């Protein structure tokens, strides 16, 4: 009898969410998000560093870029991190996805939100990427970046254990530490991270160098 009830529930019960397996194509999708680093315990000159990491990742190859951000999530931090990521990559995917603008939208009126959205769309257009955003409340749509957040943070924590301390002489030294970890992880992702062989990507040429926060 139990099997009959279960079968009836399956056919006539409450509607269930259907999640389709995401199939990633080479060079198609780049994703951006921020992850808070407060629980890692980084200090600079023995003073706690309140910061987070901007994290960019290609969905197919796993190529990634991380950028130290002082303060909260903002369009400026997103734009700076994304541009540095694309310069590090040497190209731009066909589309860029993020839900990070949701935090930047807080406490903004409708006109300010429209302006921020337009700036994001203009930034993506500059690199010939199609801008996309996750549907609100659908967490699995950004799984290609949220899951790797944890992997990256664990790699950082392991490297800190090997280093013997989480204190750095200055911010530049900490930035170099993050760059070295990400560089090693990208080396393991090669050659699938090569943009030049990806059919859906384009190599861009622009005259603006990458920037670094101070």
């Amino acid at each position: 009898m139990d099997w009959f009830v279960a079968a009836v529930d399956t056919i006539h019960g409450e509607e269930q969410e259907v999640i389709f397996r995401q199939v990633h194509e080479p060079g198609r999708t780049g994703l951006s998000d921020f992850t808070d680093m407060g629980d890692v315990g980084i200090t600079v000159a023995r003073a706690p560093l309140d910061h987070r990491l901007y994290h960019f990742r290609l969905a197919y190859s796993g190529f990634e870029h991380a950028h130290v951000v002082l303060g909260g999530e903002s369009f400026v931090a997103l734009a700076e991190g994304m541009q540095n990521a694309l310069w590090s990559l040497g190209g731009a995917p066909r589309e860029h996805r993020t839900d990070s603008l949701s935090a930047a939208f807080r406490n903004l009126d409708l006109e300010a939100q429209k302006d921020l959205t337009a700036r994001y769309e203009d930034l993506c257009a500059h690199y010939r990427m199609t801008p996309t955003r996750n549907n609100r409340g659908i967490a699995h749509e950004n799984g290609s970046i949220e899951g790797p957040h944890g992997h990256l943070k664990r790699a950082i924590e392991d490297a800190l254990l090997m280093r013997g301390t989480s204190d750095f002489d200055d911010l530049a030294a900490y930035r170099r530490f993050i760059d070295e970890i990400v560089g090693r992880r990208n080396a393991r992702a090669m050659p699938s991270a090569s943009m030049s062989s990806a059919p859906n990507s384009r190599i861009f040429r622009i005259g603006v160098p990458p920037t670094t926060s101070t």
Side-chain angles (χ1 to χ4, degrees):
M1 188 65 177
D2 289 343
W3 67 267
F4 177 77
V5 173
V8 170
D9 286 344
T10 300
I11 298 173
H12 301 289
E14 294 184 4
E15 183 176 346
Q16 301 293 314
E17 180 183 9
V18 177
I19 298 177
F20 294 98
R21 180 180 178 86
Q22 298 184 52
V23 179
H24 300 300
E25 301 174 13
R28 180 180 180 84
T29 306
L31 305 102
S32 292
D33 203 358
F34 294 87
T35 184
D36 188 270
M37 295 293 287
D39 57 345
V40 181
I42 300 297
T43 60
V44 172
R46 302 193 181 282
L49 184 65
D50 181 14
H51 73 293
R52 63 198 64 222
L53 291 182
Y54 163 83
H55 192 192
F56 173 91
R57 186 174 185 270
L58 286 182
Y60 177 81
S61 68
F63 170 91
E64 59 189 340
H65 175 83
H67 181 73
V68 177
V69 175
L70 304 182
E73 299 179 25
S74 66
F75 173 77
V76 172
L78 174 68
E80 181 181 0
M82 188 178 79
Q83 289 184 94
N84 286 337
L86 297 180
W87 272 89
S88 177
L89 176 62
R94 290 179 60 188
E95 64 181 34
H96 178 263
R97 174 174 293 179
T98 185
D99 63 358
S100 296
L101 290 184
S102 298
F105 278 165
R106 292 171 189 162
N107 302 319
L108 294 181
D109 59 30
L110 183 58
E111 286 302 314
Q113 291 183 22
K114 289 181 179 179
D115 177 67
L116 198 60
T117 299
R119 291 167 65 190
Y120 170 61
E121 291 174 349
D122 288 344
L123 177 64
C124 288
H126 179 74
Y127 293 103
R128 293 183 293 163
M129 296 187 297
T130 300
T132 64
R133 293 177 61 189
N134 294 339
N135 292 311
R136 182 172 297 179
I138 310 300
H140 70 266
E141 289 190 350
N142 216 30
S144 294
I145 185 69
E146 289 181 350
H149 280 339
H151 301 319
L152 177 59
K153 290 178 77 171
R154 282 192 291 274
I156 292 171
E157 290 169 342
D158 289 345
L160 289 171
L161 285 174
M162 295 293 293
R163 187 172 180 267
T165 178
S166 58
D167 185 64
F168 295 83
D169 292 336
D170 51 37
L171 183 59
Y174 177 52
R175 291 186 188 278
R176 288 193 298 270
F177 173 78
I178 295 297
D179 289 343
E180 290 171 1
I181 293 172
V182 173
R184 290 196 295 267
R185 288 166 60 85
N186 283 335
R188 291 196 294 269
M190 297 298 283
S192 59
S194 173
M195 292 292 295
S196 60
S197 61
N200 293 319
S201 63
R202 305 159 313 283
I203 299 300
F204 61 83
R205 294 181 177 85
I206 59 176
V208 182
T211 56
T212 301
S213 296
T214 57

